[in-house]
Amino acid sequence: MKLYGYWRSSASYRVRIALNLKQIPYETIPVHLLKAGGEQKTEAYQQLNPARLVPTLVTDDGEHLNQSLAIIEYLDAIAPEPRLIPEDPLTAARVRTLALDMSADLQPITNLRILQYLTGELNQPDETKLRWIQHWVAQAFQAFEQRLGQTAGRYCVGDQVTLADICLVPQVYNAQRFGIDLAPYPRIQQIVAALNVLPAFVDAKPEAQIDANS
Amino acid sequence: MKLYGYWRSSASYRVRIALNLKQIPYETIPVHLLKAGGEQKTEAYQQLNPARLVPTLVTDDGEHLNQSLAIIEYLDAIAPEPRLIPEDPLTAARVRTLALDMSADLQPITNLRILQYLTGELNQPDETKLRWIQHWVAQAFQAFEQRLGQTAGRYCVGDQVTLADICLVPQVYNAQRFGIDLAPYPRIQQIVAALNVLPAFVDAKPEAQIDANS
């Protein structure tokens, strides 16, 4: 398989973790989100993803898949070991809720294109951008921390790594980049510490990618 | 089952469509998102959803489920007829990609709390708010329209109603509220016209809810 992504993209990071957990080998094809106005906006990349976002996974059959959660659900169906979305419908709902808290309600409102719009089109200073990030991260992490009180074991939902963990780690990585204090979120901190020593998570880190710091 | 929601909330609208398609009877419990600063922010509602967002589905077993896509996946598992996420992994990926285009990449960045932050904390005029909505709707609808070229039949993916259709209809409803011209999106227009005559979609419309215009 081939993964078009960017080292610091949260959505690419999620798919890397999932591929690693399932031990599916893949080739990385970097798409630089900043260089020359953003390689994701080129005509060539739009053929792979009309939404001009990363990642895109190209399967062995040459199919192009977009949207990290759709990709991970696909991987979970074709390579079910280890299972990232539990079979029990209620437990699966708990996992998907946590995953969407991070991937639908936090990441899209604090990602690159939104921040660029705030400082570009809306002409806001960097300080406003930082307050924006802090505000939405705090809202999302507070809710997530509270949910963990009902669901967590060693990881977000019980003692198995799930899609919820895969979605949490990149958002914590981002929060730390922006200097957000994680002290109010002890459960998140503990779970992320346990996840970040697992080889699949270590190998998926932005700094471990071939395009890191490019 | 009980559905805590708001007549104009896109995420509530999605769950209503899914419940109707599966002919699962439910009781509506309105949560007014504007009155008295927003009923979703009360202590009582936070017990149901720490993220202070609608909807919440309370199952027959008294479980509280949040996040519309997690809820619909749950309903699809416990009541598989009609199937909203196809069994074939690749077709399921196409469906989830379209669903996430609307529910993760468009709705969260144009929803009430974001618009309130823009006009409140950032003190932006209504005109900027409208430009914000138009900008992100256009990006999302352009990509969606292009994807439909590969996937559409009578509906978004082939000739069966899927999760993709459930996520599209509320976003088109919203776009029309804000006066967005749909002429550049003929496939979207045609599919939504076909969906909006189905009883499950008619009964789920905001104006048909007990809290409509409240």
Side-chain angles (χ1 to χ4, degrees):
Chain A
M1 299 201 184
K2 288 180 194 169
L3 182 64
Y4 289 78
Y6 181 60
W7 64 292
R8 260 183 173 167
S9 140
S10 310
S12 307
Y13 194 173
R14 288 175 210 139
V15 176
R16 293 196 299 261
I17 298 168
L19 287 164
N20 291 348
L21 284 167
K22 292 180 179 292
Q23 300 188 288
I24 298 172
Y26 68 96
E27 180 190 345
T28 296
I29 304 179
V31 178
H32 204 293
L33 299 188
L34 296 163
K35 226 178 253 172
E39 291 177 356
Q40 77 280 16
K41 296 175 191 164
T42 59
E43 194 59 45
Y45 186 74
Q46 250 184 282
Q47 297 300 315
L48 296 174
N49 187 351
R52 302 186 288 176
L53 294 166
V54 287
T56 295
L57 184 74
V58 181
T59 68
D60 289 336
D61 306 325
E63 300 285 350
H64 306 146
L65 305 183
N66 303 142
Q67 284 286 6
S68 62
L69 295 193
I71 291 171
I72 297 170
E73 296 261 4
Y74 171 83
L75 295 173
D76 217 35
I78 63 155
E81 286 303 318
R83 230 173 214 296
L84 302 176
I85 297 130
E87 281 188 278
D88 170 59
L90 188 63
T91 316
R94 302 275 180 245
V95 166
R96 287 196 181 98
T97 297
L98 289 162
L100 289 160
D101 280 349
M102 292 293 109
S103 309
D105 285 338
L106 175 57
Q107 197 272 335
I109 67 180
T110 52
N111 72 3
L112 181 68
R113 62 181 189 168
I114 297 286
L115 303 179
Q116 284 177 336
Y117 193 95
L118 282 174
T119 56
E121 275 84 343
L122 298 191
N123 202 24
Q124 298 291 311
D126 276 352
E127 188 199 309
T128 301
K129 178 179 94 172
L130 194 61
R131 264 205 344 264
W132 173 280
I133 295 169
Q134 287 166 339
H135 176 80
W136 300 116
V137 169
Q139 285 225 351
F141 279 18
Q142 278 162 21
F144 201 96
E145 181 77 10
Q146 204 177 323
R147 289 198 204 279
L148 289 177
Q150 311 293 319
T151 63
R154 180 164 179 78
Y155 305 119
C156 285
V157 179
D159 296 325
Q160 304 298 321
V161 174
T162 66
L163 179 64
D165 302 297
I166 291 174
C167 293
L168 174 61
V169 164
Q171 295 321 120
V172 168
Y173 170 88
N174 270 346
Q176 288 178 316
R177 259 183 76 197
F178 288 104
I180 290 169
D181 180 19
L182 296 177
Y185 319 112
R187 293 186 191 109
I188 289 178
Q189 279 190 296
Q190 199 177 342
I191 288 168
V192 168
L195 291 163
N196 271 338
V197 296
L198 303 177
F201 285 78
V202 172
D203 294 345
K205 283 199 173 165
E207 286 70 21
Q209 306 315 304
I210 55 171
D211 55 336
N213 301 306
S214 68
Chain B
M1 298 200 184
K2 289 179 193 169
L3 183 64
Y4 289 79
Y6 182 61
W7 64 293
R8 260 184 174 167
S9 138
S10 311
S12 306
Y13 193 173
R14 287 175 211 141
V15 176
R16 293 196 299 262
I17 299 169
L19 287 164
N20 293 347
L21 284 167
K22 291 179 180 293
Q23 300 188 288
I24 298 172
Y26 67 95
E27 180 190 346
T28 296
I29 303 179
V31 178
H32 203 294
L33 299 189
L34 295 163
K35 226 179 251 171
E39 292 178 356
Q40 76 280 18
K41 294 176 190 163
T42 60
E43 193 60 44
Y45 186 74
Q46 250 184 283
Q47 297 299 315
L48 296 174
N49 188 352
R52 302 187 288 176
L53 294 166
V54 288
T56 295
L57 184 75
V58 182
T59 68
D60 289 336
D61 305 326
E63 300 286 349
H64 307 146
L65 304 184
N66 305 142
Q67 285 287 4
S68 62
L69 295 194
I71 292 171
I72 297 171
E73 296 260 4
Y74 171 83
L75 295 173
D76 217 36
I78 63 156
E81 286 304 316
R83 231 175 213 295
L84 303 175
I85 297 128
E87 281 189 278
D88 170 59
L90 188 62
T91 316
R94 302 275 180 245
V95 166
R96 288 196 180 99
T97 296
L98 289 163
L100 289 160
D101 280 350
M102 292 293 109
S103 309
D105 285 338
L106 176 57
Q107 196 272 334
I109 67 180
T110 52
N111 71 3
L112 181 67
R113 62 180 189 166
I114 296 286
L115 303 179
Q116 284 177 336
Y117 192 96
L118 282 174
T119 55
E121 275 85 345
L122 298 192
N123 202 24
Q124 298 291 311
D126 276 353
E127 187 200 309
T128 300
K129 179 179 91 171
L130 194 61
R131 263 206 344 262
W132 172 279
I133 295 168
Q134 288 167 338
H135 176 80
W136 299 115
V137 169
Q139 285 226 348
F141 280 17
Q142 278 162 20
F144 201 95
E145 181 77 9
Q146 204 178 323
R147 289 197 204 280
L148 289 177
Q150 311 293 317
T151 62
R154 181 163 178 77
Y155 304 120
C156 285
V157 179
D159 296 325
Q160 304 299 319
V161 174
T162 66
L163 179 63
D165 302 296
I166 291 174
C167 293
L168 175 61
V169 164
Q171 295 321 121
V172 168
Y173 170 88
N174 270 346
Q176 287 177 316
R177 260 183 78 199
F178 289 103
I180 289 169
D181 179 19
L182 296 177
Y185 319 112
R187 294 186 191 110
I188 289 177
Q189 280 190 296
Q190 198 177 344
I191 288 169
V192 168
L195 291 163
N196 272 337
V197 296
L198 303 177
F201 285 77
V202 172
D203 296 345
K205 282 199 175 168
E207 285 70 22
Q209 306 314 304
I210 55 171
D211 56 335
N213 300 307
S214 68

